[in-house]
Amino acid sequence: MDITTFSALSEPNRLRIVKLLQDGPLTVGEIADRLELRQPQASKHLRVLLEAGLVEVQAVANRRNYKLRMEPFQAMDAWLGSFRDCWDERLDALENYLQKLQTKETNKQN
């Protein structure tokens, strides 16, 4: 897992841009308008996302459409998967423990 991905996504506006792009490609102007950013700010954030390999640009006539690249997000999901397994086990154990405590408490009251 590349630290560049996490670094790029650590800035709130860039994360908001990624969320916007989940619905499909947008131009810099559309992103700026929807997030209420100035266009230079949106461009700066898109450049960071582009350099991190999270978005790609498609030139259509005089417009530049930005869209998400799914590969880095799939890699992040796979990397996080190993942690999910560990936490699933721990949360299952906690659930069992809490159920035992609840059963003991119920038995004491009866």
Side-chain angles (χ1 to χ4, degrees):
M1 186 70 244
D2 187 0
I3 192 70
T4 307
T5 301
F6 289 108
S7 178
L9 294 174
S10 67
E11 205 284 329
N13 284 317
R14 289 194 287 268
L15 193 55
R16 291 172 54 209
I17 291 170
V18 167
K19 288 179 183 178
L20 265 183
L21 292 176
Q22 285 177 321
D23 295 331
L26 295 170
T27 65
V28 178
E30 292 168 329
I31 292 167
D33 288 343
R34 291 184 189 184
L35 297 181
E36 298 179 353
L37 296 172
R38 293 189 328 246
Q39 192 163 337
Q41 288 176 302
S43 293
K44 178 186 126 190
H45 291 305
L46 284 164
R47 186 173 47 254
V48 172
L49 293 170
L50 183 65
E51 289 171 359
L54 296 171
V55 298
E56 62 186 29
V57 183
Q58 294 176 325
V60 179
N62 63 344
R63 297 168 48 132
R64 295 173 52 110
N65 292 322
Y66 288 84
K67 72 175 201 170
L68 292 180
R69 291 187 63 246
M70 295 315 300
E71 297 85 359
F73 294 98
Q74 291 165 342
M76 186 182 335
D77 183 56
W79 183 76
L80 290 170
S82 62
F83 296 100
R84 278 188 211 102
D85 294 342
C86 175
W87 280 107
D88 283 344
E89 288 176 26
R90 290 177 184 203
L91 290 172
D92 288 344
L94 176 61
E95 182 180 13
N96 291 337
Y97 176 73
L98 292 174
Q99 285 175 348
K100 287 178 186 176
L101 285 178
Q102 188 175 18
T103 301
K104 280 183 183 180
E105 189 64 31
T106 303
N107 289 339
K108 283 182 184 180
Q109 291 177 0
N110 291 333

